[in-house]
Amino acid sequence: MPRTDPAPTGTILVTGATGNVGRHVVTQLLDAQVNVRAMTRNPDTAPLPAGVETVHGDMDAPGTLGAAFDGVDAVFLLWPLFSTATAPAVVDAIAKHARRIVYLSAMGSGDSRPDGFWGEVEVLIERSGLEWTFVRPGGFATNVLGWADQIRTDGVVRWPYGDAGRSLIHEADIAAVSVQALLDNQHVGAAYSLTGPEIVTQAEQARIIGEAIGREVRWEELSPKEARKQLLADWGDGSFVEQALRAWADMVDNPEPITQTVEKVTGTPARTFRQWALDHADDFRPR
């Protein structure tokens, strides 16, 4: 049952405030007339809107976080590290000051807990005594920005598995669910799997971006061997490259799932990939 005590009304701290999701969390909280504090490593140069209190903090150095957490009622947490070595100290510090935490995690298999550091941080939060909500998005539409240089240069996307079906989610929808969880008691204890509203293959994504920018964008299929060589040069992490290639290969016959969670939580349907492409059209146009 929903809680009957008041929702947080004090200051809300946003970590990762200058990132793809965090900046939307900041602006949506401001629109809700909430006091927002943004934590960043470089507060003096952070491109944040007026009305936001900016403070220094570094998750890799928990001793720097006291001032950031002092006096906050709730925290939006994005864990920026692959290691969870400092996570226990960070979660403990949050629990000493805040009442509620909304954690940007990742989608697992079905409704299960995600693997890796995402799941490890979830466990720490569950044990902390904080009111918590886990926001577990699937594929981020913003990852498609990795094609931007190719599209700007010659209007071609050279990539493997064009028939892989994705249900990519707009970062503003991830933020909208997170803001609801920060402000509304009924989401305490929930773990929300989030996706976009439709399946769009990777080749279709390229076509839609072309329509958004008013310029044809062609798909050029790379073989797994060619893609492996290119991605190793770009990413460097061989295990991550192999994981990505396996995932895309599987999505050809088994597209990503679709959930209706964004609409259920916010009352508004999730944004389509076409809307995301229109919102980011300038990122793909020649400079």
Side-chain angles (χ1 to χ4, degrees), residues 2 42 80 90 95 105 113 118 128 145 157 179 194 204 213 218 226 255 275 281:
N42 301 296
V90 172
S105 187
R113 192 186 305 281
W118 294 284
S128 69
L145 292 172
V157 175
V179 168
L194 308 182
E204 288 169 341
I213 66 176
R218 295 188 294 107
E226 293 170 320
Q275 182 61 59

Side-chain angles (χ1 to χ4, degrees), residues 4 7 25 30 32 78 84 102 107 132-133 147 174 226-228 231 238 242-243 245-246 258 266 271 279 286:
T4 57
V25 174
L30 287 176
L78 181 151
T84 57
V102 173
M107 186 180 293
W132 56 263
T133 305
W147 298 343
I174 302 172
E226 293 170 320
R228 183 176 291 106
L231 293 174
E242 294 303 323
Q243 181 182 5
L245 289 171
R246 287 194 300 269
I258 295 175
T266 69
R271 294 166 174 85
D279 291 343

Side-chain angles (χ1 to χ4, degrees), residues 39-260:
M39 190 180 82
T40 174
R41 290 184 178 184
N42 301 296
D44 294 336
T45 59
L48 292 164
V52 176
E53 177 191 2
T54 58
V55 294
H56 170 73
D58 185 346
M59 298 291 188
D60 212 13
T64 68
L65 303 177
F69 295 153
D70 187 38
V72 302
D73 203 9
V75 174
F76 172 78
L77 177 66
L78 181 151
W79 189 253
L81 309 170
F82 290 108
S83 168
T84 57
T86 59
V90 172
V91 173
D92 284 347
I94 295 172
K96 289 178 181 178
H97 296 277
R99 162 184 156 193
R100 178 171 299 176
I101 187 168
V102 173
Y103 171 49
L104 181 57
S105 187
M107 186 180 293
S109 177
D111 293 326
S112 64
R113 192 186 305 281
D115 295 329
F117 69 87
W118 294 284
E120 294 173 16
V121 175
E122 284 190 5
V123 171
L124 292 171
I125 291 170
E126 286 178 344
R127 295 172 178 171
S128 69
L130 287 158
E131 300 174 356
W132 56 263
T133 305
F134 300 146
V135 177
R136 296 172 172 171
F140 283 44
T142 51
N143 290 338
V144 177
L145 292 172
W147 298 343
D149 286 342
Q150 298 182 60
I151 292 173
R152 283 194 297 262
T153 301
D154 54 13
V156 177
V157 175
R158 300 176 180 87
W159 207 254
Y161 300 109
D163 290 332
R166 308 297 309 269
S167 56
L168 301 179
I169 185 167
H170 197 303
E171 62 275 13
D173 286 328
I174 302 172
V177 172
S178 300
V179 168
Q180 287 295 316
L182 286 164
L183 299 179
D184 193 327
N185 289 333
Q186 68 177 312
H187 306 294
V188 173
Y192 289 133
S193 295
L194 308 182
T195 73
E198 60 192 347
I199 298 296
V200 183
T201 69
Q202 297 198 110
E204 288 169 341
Q205 292 165 29
R207 174 181 56 79
I208 290 169
I209 291 169
E211 292 169 357
I213 66 176
R215 175 191 182 195
E216 182 185 6
V217 174
R218 295 188 294 107
W219 180 269
E220 186 175 301
E221 184 77 15
L222 288 185
S223 70
K225 181 178 180 180
E226 293 170 320
R228 183 176 291 106
K229 181 178 179 180
Q230 176 179 310
L231 293 174
L232 281 171
D234 292 344
W235 296 352
D237 186 331
S239 62
F240 188 68
V241 168
E242 294 303 323
Q243 181 182 5
L245 289 171
R246 287 194 300 269
W248 294 327
D250 183 64
M251 291 173 197
V252 172
D253 295 320
N254 302 288
E256 289 180 312
I258 295 175
T259 71
Q260 305 300 322

